[in-house]
Amino acid sequence: MGLEADAALRERASAVMPRGMYGHQSVNRLPAGMPQFLARAEGAYVWDHDGNRYLDLMCGYGPQLFGYAHPEIDSAYVEQLRAIDTATGPSGVMVDLAETFVDMVGHADWAMFCKNGSDATSMALMAARSHTGRRKVLLATGAYHGSSPWNTPVPTGTVADDRAHFVHYVYNDVASLDAAVAEAGDDLAGIFASPFKHDAAIDQELPDPAYARRARELCDEHDAILVVDDVRAGFRMTRDCSWSELGVEPDLSCWGKAIANGHPISCLLGNDRTKRAAGRIYVTGSFWFSAAPMAASLVTLRLVRETDYLETIVRLGTELREGLTAIAEEAGVRISQTGPPQLPLIMFDQADGSRDTVLGDAFATAMLAQGVYVHPWHNMFISAAMTNADIDHALDAARTALRTHT
Ligand code: PMP
């Protein structure tokens, strides 16, 4: 099937939306064959407006942890929607959810809820400055923490002053972290860290425990705040904050995406040390207190605790990775697969080691044509709604894609 209905929607969109689409879901920068608009979603699959079905290896850029239209999660959402949702005051379900997060996430003694990951990271920035009364915050070069004026990757429309007090360091590089702390001097408010290096279009890197421990140590020495941005990886690495596996507890952690399996809610979690400072910042939003996403989150968190979803996504991701390694070897193609297998980034290299973006784009286009939605340079996401048969389907498609494009 073609993409005629999608093309018609895109044309109408370009008349009434700047550049037809914006942000990370715009397909303007992506290879041919990607539908811009999707009409339906269920389990591990999405359908476009032309009726094409795709195994969705992007999981909505992360939120789908248990699969689209999950019956139990969505029933809780609908039931809460009918009782009370966006109203003049929050529902008691907000307290249930805060208690649940505090019980589940080791470093957390409190929770504040918001809508998007960018809300949570901006609140973390404010809470760190509120706690310390200082300005400088360390960010890893290239790390994505949202699209607010202080961190949007394309600075058009922002001013240099928006980024006046950030110092950059190299992820996993202790010496550069030390140097950045020295540069911040007695104005150091905090250090932001991604749970692993998951910057777009470059190989992913797992965190070096020595780097994570040093970040904690530096924050302790300087009475600064350590922030782990778990918006993308939260609950796909472990059932706690992602750095808990390394024995490193941040003061603040940012969450979003998967915490309600696609329903709109994010949060900032913090320890007792930061509670008073967080209570002094003024942050809010018309939809931040809506109860239905909170009810959906409560069920999602129960599934996180009570099911083997994590073991499932690691197993499926590993099968995909190992299968692709074998297929690429057969085809004589240099494939680069990095990061945790349940958050796979798949790219291709040329013989001289440089990135083969032409093959990457052709691979994505060929996979789409066979009903597998892959991204050529952003990490993907495995969900617990996927099955062995889905992974086999993706591998069959990859075999054909590499045979026809190499
Ligand atoms: N932090 C990280 C690590 C993210 O991956 C993202 C979203 N991709 C954000 C923050 C921002 O989240 P949102 O798009 O929900 O504002």
PDB file of all heavy atoms in Angstrom, residues 77-109:
ATOM      1  N   TYR A  77      -7.568   4.428  33.428  1.00  0.00           N
ATOM      2  CA  TYR A  77      -7.595   5.803  32.922  1.00  0.00           C
ATOM      3  C   TYR A  77      -9.044   6.256  32.706  1.00  0.00           C
ATOM      4  O   TYR A  77      -9.467   7.315  33.186  1.00  0.00           O
ATOM      5  CB  TYR A  77      -6.793   5.891  31.619  1.00  0.00           C
ATOM      6  CG  TYR A  77      -6.775   7.275  31.010  1.00  0.00           C
ATOM      7  CD1 TYR A  77      -5.769   8.179  31.336  1.00  0.00           C
ATOM      8  CD2 TYR A  77      -7.777   7.690  30.131  1.00  0.00           C
ATOM      9  CE1 TYR A  77      -5.758   9.450  30.793  1.00  0.00           C
ATOM     10  CE2 TYR A  77      -7.770   8.957  29.586  1.00  0.00           C
ATOM     11  CZ  TYR A  77      -6.755   9.834  29.921  1.00  0.00           C
ATOM     12  OH  TYR A  77      -6.746  11.098  29.395  1.00  0.00           O
ATOM     13  N   VAL A  78      -9.802   5.420  31.995  1.00  0.00           N
ATOM     14  CA  VAL A  78     -11.179   5.796  31.637  1.00  0.00           C
ATOM     15  C   VAL A  78     -12.056   5.895  32.900  1.00  0.00           C
ATOM     16  O   VAL A  78     -12.849   6.839  33.046  1.00  0.00           O
ATOM     17  CB  VAL A  78     -11.767   4.788  30.620  1.00  0.00           C
ATOM     18  CG1 VAL A  78     -13.258   5.023  30.414  1.00  0.00           C
ATOM     19  CG2 VAL A  78     -11.033   4.901  29.287  1.00  0.00           C
ATOM     20  N   GLU A  79     -11.870   4.959  33.795  1.00  0.00           N
ATOM     21  CA  GLU A  79     -12.660   4.981  35.034  1.00  0.00           C
ATOM     22  C   GLU A  79     -12.401   6.276  35.819  1.00  0.00           C
ATOM     23  O   GLU A  79     -13.320   6.933  36.302  1.00  0.00           O
ATOM     24  CB  GLU A  79     -12.272   3.769  35.884  1.00  0.00           C
ATOM     25  CG  GLU A  79     -13.321   3.372  36.899  1.00  0.00           C
ATOM     26  CD  GLU A  79     -12.886   2.121  37.658  1.00  0.00           C
ATOM     27  OE1 GLU A  79     -12.565   1.112  36.991  1.00  0.00           O
ATOM     28  OE2 GLU A  79     -12.846   2.185  38.898  1.00  0.00           O
ATOM     29  N   GLN A  80     -11.115   6.655  35.898  1.00  0.00           N
ATOM     30  CA  GLN A  80     -10.759   7.884  36.620  1.00  0.00           C
ATOM     31  C   GLN A  80     -11.282   9.120  35.879  1.00  0.00           C
ATOM     32  O   GLN A  80     -11.786  10.061  36.492  1.00  0.00           O
ATOM     33  CB  GLN A  80      -9.246   7.972  36.786  1.00  0.00           C
ATOM     34  CG  GLN A  80      -8.788   9.171  37.594  1.00  0.00           C
ATOM     35  CD  GLN A  80      -9.328   9.164  39.018  1.00  0.00           C
ATOM     36  OE1 GLN A  80      -9.152   8.194  39.739  1.00  0.00           O
ATOM     37  NE2 GLN A  80     -10.001  10.242  39.427  1.00  0.00           N
ATOM     38  N   LEU A  81     -11.210   9.064  34.539  1.00  0.00           N
ATOM     39  CA  LEU A  81     -11.710  10.171  33.712  1.00  0.00           C
ATOM     40  C   LEU A  81     -13.182  10.424  34.008  1.00  0.00           C
ATOM     41  O   LEU A  81     -13.629  11.573  34.092  1.00  0.00           O
ATOM     42  CB  LEU A  81     -11.514   9.792  32.242  1.00  0.00           C
ATOM     43  CG  LEU A  81     -11.837  10.813  31.173  1.00  0.00           C
ATOM     44  CD1 LEU A  81     -10.835  11.958  31.212  1.00  0.00           C
ATOM     45  CD2 LEU A  81     -11.793  10.164  29.786  1.00  0.00           C
ATOM     46  N   ARG A  82     -13.925   9.329  34.189  1.00  0.00           N
ATOM     47  CA  ARG A  82     -15.363   9.472  34.440  1.00  0.00           C
ATOM     48  C   ARG A  82     -15.633   9.987  35.845  1.00  0.00           C
ATOM     49  O   ARG A  82     -16.626  10.671  36.073  1.00  0.00           O
ATOM     50  CB  ARG A  82     -16.053   8.129  34.226  1.00  0.00           C
ATOM     51  CG  ARG A  82     -16.000   7.757  32.754  1.00  0.00           C
ATOM     52  CD  ARG A  82     -17.070   6.778  32.337  1.00  0.00           C
ATOM     53  NE  ARG A  82     -17.050   6.618  30.899  1.00  0.00           N
ATOM     54  CZ  ARG A  82     -16.890   5.461  30.267  1.00  0.00           C
ATOM     55  NH1 ARG A  82     -16.764   4.339  30.949  1.00  0.00           N
ATOM     56  NH2 ARG A  82     -16.879   5.423  28.955  1.00  0.00           N
ATOM     57  N   ALA A  83     -14.751   9.669  36.785  1.00  0.00           N
ATOM     58  CA  ALA A  83     -14.958  10.141  38.170  1.00  0.00           C
ATOM     59  C   ALA A  83     -14.541  11.614  38.288  1.00  0.00           C
ATOM     60  O   ALA A  83     -15.342  12.470  38.625  1.00  0.00           O
ATOM     61  CB  ALA A  83     -14.165   9.279  39.134  1.00  0.00           C
ATOM     62  N   ILE A  84     -13.292  11.883  38.018  1.00  0.00           N
ATOM     63  CA  ILE A  84     -12.778  13.270  37.994  1.00  0.00           C
ATOM     64  C   ILE A  84     -11.392  13.246  37.353  1.00  0.00           C
ATOM     65  O   ILE A  84     -10.610  12.324  37.579  1.00  0.00           O
ATOM     66  CB  ILE A  84     -12.719  13.904  39.411  1.00  0.00           C
ATOM     67  CG1 ILE A  84     -12.394  15.402  39.325  1.00  0.00           C
ATOM     68  CG2 ILE A  84     -11.734  13.187  40.327  1.00  0.00           C
ATOM     69  CD1 ILE A  84     -12.658  16.170  40.628  1.00  0.00           C
ATOM     70  N   ASP A  85     -11.114  14.265  36.543  1.00  0.00           N
ATOM     71  CA  ASP A  85      -9.795  14.298  35.877  1.00  0.00           C
ATOM     72  C   ASP A  85      -9.157  15.667  36.087  1.00  0.00           C
ATOM     73  O   ASP A  85      -8.567  15.924  37.118  1.00  0.00           O
ATOM     74  CB  ASP A  85      -9.950  13.938  34.387  1.00  0.00           C
ATOM     75  CG  ASP A  85      -8.627  13.921  33.650  1.00  0.00           C
ATOM     76  OD1 ASP A  85      -7.616  13.551  34.277  1.00  0.00           O
ATOM     77  OD2 ASP A  85      -8.600  14.270  32.449  1.00  0.00           O
ATOM     78  N   THR A  86      -9.343  16.583  35.113  1.00  0.00           N
ATOM     79  CA  THR A  86      -8.793  17.932  35.238  1.00  0.00           C
ATOM     80  C   THR A  86      -9.839  18.786  35.941  1.00  0.00           C
ATOM     81  O   THR A  86     -10.916  19.011  35.392  1.00  0.00           O
ATOM     82  CB  THR A  86      -8.481  18.504  33.841  1.00  0.00           C
ATOM     83  OG1 THR A  86      -7.625  17.587  33.166  1.00  0.00           O
ATOM     84  CG2 THR A  86      -7.815  19.857  33.938  1.00  0.00           C
ATOM     85  N   ALA A  87      -9.523  19.230  37.140  1.00  0.00           N
ATOM     86  CA  ALA A  87     -10.570  19.872  37.943  1.00  0.00           C
ATOM     87  C   ALA A  87      -9.972  21.001  38.785  1.00  0.00           C
ATOM     88  O   ALA A  87      -8.795  21.331  38.652  1.00  0.00           O
ATOM     89  CB  ALA A  87     -11.238  18.832  38.829  1.00  0.00           C
ATOM     90  N   THR A  88     -10.773  21.553  39.652  1.00  0.00           N
ATOM     91  CA  THR A  88     -10.359  22.685  40.473  1.00  0.00           C
ATOM     92  C   THR A  88      -9.379  22.267  41.564  1.00  0.00           C
ATOM     93  O   THR A  88      -8.675  23.085  42.136  1.00  0.00           O
ATOM     94  CB  THR A  88     -11.613  23.343  41.079  1.00  0.00           C
ATOM     95  OG1 THR A  88     -12.514  23.592  39.994  1.00  0.00           O
ATOM     96  CG2 THR A  88     -11.325  24.644  41.778  1.00  0.00           C
ATOM     97  N   GLY A  89      -9.326  20.981  41.837  1.00  0.00           N
ATOM     98  CA  GLY A  89      -8.329  20.469  42.782  1.00  0.00           C
ATOM     99  C   GLY A  89      -7.901  19.085  42.346  1.00  0.00           C
ATOM    100  O   GLY A  89      -8.616  18.404  41.611  1.00  0.00           O
ATOM    101  N   PRO A  90      -6.709  18.664  42.796  1.00  0.00           N
ATOM    102  CA  PRO A  90      -6.250  17.314  42.446  1.00  0.00           C
ATOM    103  C   PRO A  90      -7.059  16.248  43.184  1.00  0.00           C
ATOM    104  O   PRO A  90      -7.641  16.521  44.235  1.00  0.00           O
ATOM    105  CB  PRO A  90      -4.798  17.297  42.912  1.00  0.00           C
ATOM    106  CG  PRO A  90      -4.717  18.365  43.952  1.00  0.00           C
ATOM    107  CD  PRO A  90      -5.742  19.395  43.626  1.00  0.00           C
ATOM    108  N   SER A  91      -7.056  15.050  42.633  1.00  0.00           N
ATOM    109  CA  SER A  91      -7.722  13.930  43.308  1.00  0.00           C
ATOM    110  C   SER A  91      -6.739  13.300  44.303  1.00  0.00           C
ATOM    111  O   SER A  91      -5.524  13.450  44.174  1.00  0.00           O
ATOM    112  CB  SER A  91      -8.137  12.905  42.251  1.00  0.00           C
ATOM    113  OG  SER A  91      -8.176  11.623  42.795  1.00  0.00           O
ATOM    114  N   GLY A  92      -7.278  12.563  45.247  1.00  0.00           N
ATOM    115  CA  GLY A  92      -6.437  11.838  46.202  1.00  0.00           C
ATOM    116  C   GLY A  92      -5.518  10.831  45.526  1.00  0.00           C
ATOM    117  O   GLY A  92      -4.523  10.402  46.112  1.00  0.00           O
ATOM    118  N   VAL A  93      -5.828  10.490  44.278  1.00  0.00           N
ATOM    119  CA  VAL A  93      -4.987   9.546  43.554  1.00  0.00           C
ATOM    120  C   VAL A  93      -3.552  10.095  43.409  1.00  0.00           C
ATOM    121  O   VAL A  93      -2.587   9.337  43.301  1.00  0.00           O
ATOM    122  CB  VAL A  93      -5.633   9.213  42.178  1.00  0.00           C
ATOM    123  CG1 VAL A  93      -5.490  10.338  41.180  1.00  0.00           C
ATOM    124  CG2 VAL A  93      -5.075   7.926  41.590  1.00  0.00           C
ATOM    125  N   MET A  94      -3.427  11.416  43.497  1.00  0.00           N
ATOM    126  CA  MET A  94      -2.097  12.044  43.410  1.00  0.00           C
ATOM    127  C   MET A  94      -1.226  11.622  44.594  1.00  0.00           C
ATOM    128  O   MET A  94      -0.018  11.371  44.441  1.00  0.00           O
ATOM    129  CB  MET A  94      -2.266  13.573  43.400  1.00  0.00           C
ATOM    130  CG  MET A  94      -1.002  14.345  43.157  1.00  0.00           C
ATOM    131  SD  MET A  94      -1.413  16.101  43.021  1.00  0.00           S
ATOM    132  CE  MET A  94       0.148  16.765  42.487  1.00  0.00           C
ATOM    133  N   VAL A  95      -1.845  11.531  45.764  1.00  0.00           N
ATOM    134  CA  VAL A  95      -1.093  11.122  46.961  1.00  0.00           C
ATOM    135  C   VAL A  95      -0.721   9.641  46.842  1.00  0.00           C
ATOM    136  O   VAL A  95       0.401   9.237  47.171  1.00  0.00           O
ATOM    137  CB  VAL A  95      -1.914  11.391  48.242  1.00  0.00           C
ATOM    138  CG1 VAL A  95      -1.098  11.058  49.484  1.00  0.00           C
ATOM    139  CG2 VAL A  95      -2.385  12.838  48.278  1.00  0.00           C
ATOM    140  N   ASP A  96      -1.665   8.828  46.349  1.00  0.00           N
ATOM    141  CA  ASP A  96      -1.365   7.395  46.140  1.00  0.00           C
ATOM    142  C   ASP A  96      -0.148   7.255  45.229  1.00  0.00           C
ATOM    143  O   ASP A  96       0.734   6.434  45.478  1.00  0.00           O
ATOM    144  CB  ASP A  96      -2.542   6.675  45.444  1.00  0.00           C
ATOM    145  CG  ASP A  96      -3.813   6.695  46.278  1.00  0.00           C
ATOM    146  OD1 ASP A  96      -3.704   6.869  47.517  1.00  0.00           O
ATOM    147  OD2 ASP A  96      -4.904   6.535  45.695  1.00  0.00           O
ATOM    148  N   LEU A  97      -0.117   8.074  44.181  1.00  0.00           N
ATOM    149  CA  LEU A  97       0.963   7.940  43.200  1.00  0.00           C
ATOM    150  C   LEU A  97       2.300   8.406  43.785  1.00  0.00           C
ATOM    151  O   LEU A  97       3.333   7.760  43.585  1.00  0.00           O
ATOM    152  CB  LEU A  97       0.614   8.725  41.925  1.00  0.00           C
ATOM    153  CG  LEU A  97       1.565   8.523  40.754  1.00  0.00           C
ATOM    154  CD1 LEU A  97       1.656   7.045  40.346  1.00  0.00           C
ATOM    155  CD2 LEU A  97       1.147   9.366  39.555  1.00  0.00           C
ATOM    156  N   ALA A  98       2.260   9.523  44.527  1.00  0.00           N
ATOM    157  CA  ALA A  98       3.504  10.000  45.164  1.00  0.00           C
ATOM    158  C   ALA A  98       4.029   8.937  46.129  1.00  0.00           C
ATOM    159  O   ALA A  98       5.228   8.630  46.151  1.00  0.00           O
ATOM    160  CB  ALA A  98       3.246  11.322  45.877  1.00  0.00           C
ATOM    161  N   GLU A  99       3.140   8.339  46.924  1.00  0.00           N
ATOM    162  CA  GLU A  99       3.567   7.280  47.862  1.00  0.00           C
ATOM    163  C   GLU A  99       4.166   6.093  47.103  1.00  0.00           C
ATOM    164  O   GLU A  99       5.158   5.503  47.538  1.00  0.00           O
ATOM    165  CB  GLU A  99       2.379   6.797  48.704  1.00  0.00           C
ATOM    166  CG  GLU A  99       1.963   7.790  49.773  1.00  0.00           C
ATOM    167  CD  GLU A  99       0.659   7.398  50.477  1.00  0.00           C
ATOM    168  OE1 GLU A  99      -0.049   6.466  50.007  1.00  0.00           O
ATOM    169  OE2 GLU A  99       0.328   8.040  51.492  1.00  0.00           O
ATOM    170  N   THR A 100       3.555   5.753  45.981  1.00  0.00           N
ATOM    171  CA  THR A 100       4.032   4.600  45.210  1.00  0.00           C
ATOM    172  C   THR A 100       5.436   4.850  44.667  1.00  0.00           C
ATOM    173  O   THR A 100       6.318   3.991  44.755  1.00  0.00           O
ATOM    174  CB  THR A 100       3.044   4.299  44.065  1.00  0.00           C
ATOM    175  OG1 THR A 100       1.761   4.097  44.634  1.00  0.00           O
ATOM    176  CG2 THR A 100       3.439   3.055  43.294  1.00  0.00           C
ATOM    177  N   PHE A 101       5.644   6.053  44.107  1.00  0.00           N
ATOM    178  CA  PHE A 101       6.993   6.370  43.605  1.00  0.00           C
ATOM    179  C   PHE A 101       8.025   6.353  44.732  1.00  0.00           C
ATOM    180  O   PHE A 101       9.143   5.842  44.567  1.00  0.00           O
ATOM    181  CB  PHE A 101       6.998   7.738  42.905  1.00  0.00           C
ATOM    182  CG  PHE A 101       6.749   7.647  41.421  1.00  0.00           C
ATOM    183  CD1 PHE A 101       5.550   8.082  40.869  1.00  0.00           C
ATOM    184  CD2 PHE A 101       7.715   7.125  40.571  1.00  0.00           C
ATOM    185  CE1 PHE A 101       5.327   7.998  39.508  1.00  0.00           C
ATOM    186  CE2 PHE A 101       7.497   7.038  39.196  1.00  0.00           C
ATOM    187  CZ  PHE A 101       6.303   7.471  38.668  1.00  0.00           C
ATOM    188  N   VAL A 102       7.648   6.930  45.874  1.00  0.00           N
ATOM    189  CA  VAL A 102       8.589   6.979  47.006  1.00  0.00           C
ATOM    190  C   VAL A 102       8.929   5.559  47.479  1.00  0.00           C
ATOM    191  O   VAL A 102      10.073   5.259  47.827  1.00  0.00           O
ATOM    192  CB  VAL A 102       7.987   7.858  48.131  1.00  0.00           C
ATOM    193  CG1 VAL A 102       8.727   7.672  49.442  1.00  0.00           C
ATOM    194  CG2 VAL A 102       8.003   9.326  47.711  1.00  0.00           C
ATOM    195  N   ASP A 103       7.940   4.667  47.434  1.00  0.00           N
ATOM    196  CA  ASP A 103       8.197   3.263  47.811  1.00  0.00           C
ATOM    197  C   ASP A 103       9.084   2.551  46.793  1.00  0.00           C
ATOM    198  O   ASP A 103       9.887   1.703  47.144  1.00  0.00           O
ATOM    199  CB  ASP A 103       6.874   2.475  47.890  1.00  0.00           C
ATOM    200  CG  ASP A 103       6.120   2.793  49.170  1.00  0.00           C
ATOM    201  OD1 ASP A 103       6.718   3.431  50.062  1.00  0.00           O
ATOM    202  OD2 ASP A 103       4.938   2.421  49.259  1.00  0.00           O
ATOM    203  N   MET A 104       8.915   2.886  45.531  1.00  0.00           N
ATOM    204  CA  MET A 104       9.606   2.111  44.481  1.00  0.00           C
ATOM    205  C   MET A 104      10.998   2.618  44.138  1.00  0.00           C
ATOM    206  O   MET A 104      11.859   1.842  43.719  1.00  0.00           O
ATOM    207  CB  MET A 104       8.762   2.124  43.181  1.00  0.00           C
ATOM    208  CG  MET A 104       7.567   1.200  43.218  1.00  0.00           C
ATOM    209  SD  MET A 104       6.559   1.324  41.725  1.00  0.00           S
ATOM    210  CE  MET A 104       7.627   0.583  40.491  1.00  0.00           C
ATOM    211  N   VAL A 105      11.207   3.903  44.253  1.00  0.00           N
ATOM    212  CA  VAL A 105      12.483   4.482  43.796  1.00  0.00           C
ATOM    213  C   VAL A 105      13.337   4.807  45.018  1.00  0.00           C
ATOM    214  O   VAL A 105      12.965   5.636  45.858  1.00  0.00           O
ATOM    215  CB  VAL A 105      12.222   5.729  42.907  1.00  0.00           C
ATOM    216  CG1 VAL A 105      13.535   6.420  42.542  1.00  0.00           C
ATOM    217  CG2 VAL A 105      11.462   5.318  41.643  1.00  0.00           C
ATOM    218  N   GLY A 106      14.477   4.121  45.114  1.00  0.00           N
ATOM    219  CA  GLY A 106      15.305   4.131  46.317  1.00  0.00           C
ATOM    220  C   GLY A 106      15.652   5.506  46.856  1.00  0.00           C
ATOM    221  O   GLY A 106      15.526   5.753  48.057  1.00  0.00           O
ATOM    222  N   HIS A 107      16.075   6.421  45.996  1.00  0.00           N
ATOM    223  CA  HIS A 107      16.552   7.713  46.503  1.00  0.00           C
ATOM    224  C   HIS A 107      15.395   8.667  46.825  1.00  0.00           C
ATOM    225  O   HIS A 107      15.599   9.712  47.440  1.00  0.00           O
ATOM    226  CB  HIS A 107      17.494   8.364  45.478  1.00  0.00           C
ATOM    227  CG  HIS A 107      16.782   9.106  44.386  1.00  0.00           C
ATOM    228  ND1 HIS A 107      16.441  10.429  44.487  1.00  0.00           N
ATOM    229  CD2 HIS A 107      16.322   8.704  43.173  1.00  0.00           C
ATOM    230  CE1 HIS A 107      15.814  10.805  43.368  1.00  0.00           C
ATOM    231  NE2 HIS A 107      15.732   9.775  42.566  1.00  0.00           N
ATOM    232  N   ALA A 108      14.158   8.315  46.397  1.00  0.00           N
ATOM    233  CA  ALA A 108      13.063   9.290  46.442  1.00  0.00           C
ATOM    234  C   ALA A 108      12.355   9.330  47.794  1.00  0.00           C
ATOM    235  O   ALA A 108      11.966   8.299  48.334  1.00  0.00           O
ATOM    236  CB  ALA A 108      12.056   8.968  45.338  1.00  0.00           C
ATOM    237  N   ASP A 109      12.216  10.553  48.310  1.00  0.00           N
ATOM    238  CA  ASP A 109      11.396  10.786  49.518  1.00  0.00           C
ATOM    239  C   ASP A 109      10.175  11.635  49.186  1.00  0.00           C
ATOM    240  O   ASP A 109       9.319  11.841  50.034  1.00  0.00           O
ATOM    241  CB  ASP A 109      12.229  11.513  50.586  1.00  0.00           C
ATOM    242  CG  ASP A 109      13.397  10.656  51.057  1.00  0.00           C
ATOM    243  OD1 ASP A 109      13.179   9.479  51.395  1.00  0.00           O
ATOM    244  OD2 ASP A 109      14.536  11.161  51.069  1.00  0.00           O
TER     245      ASP A 109
END
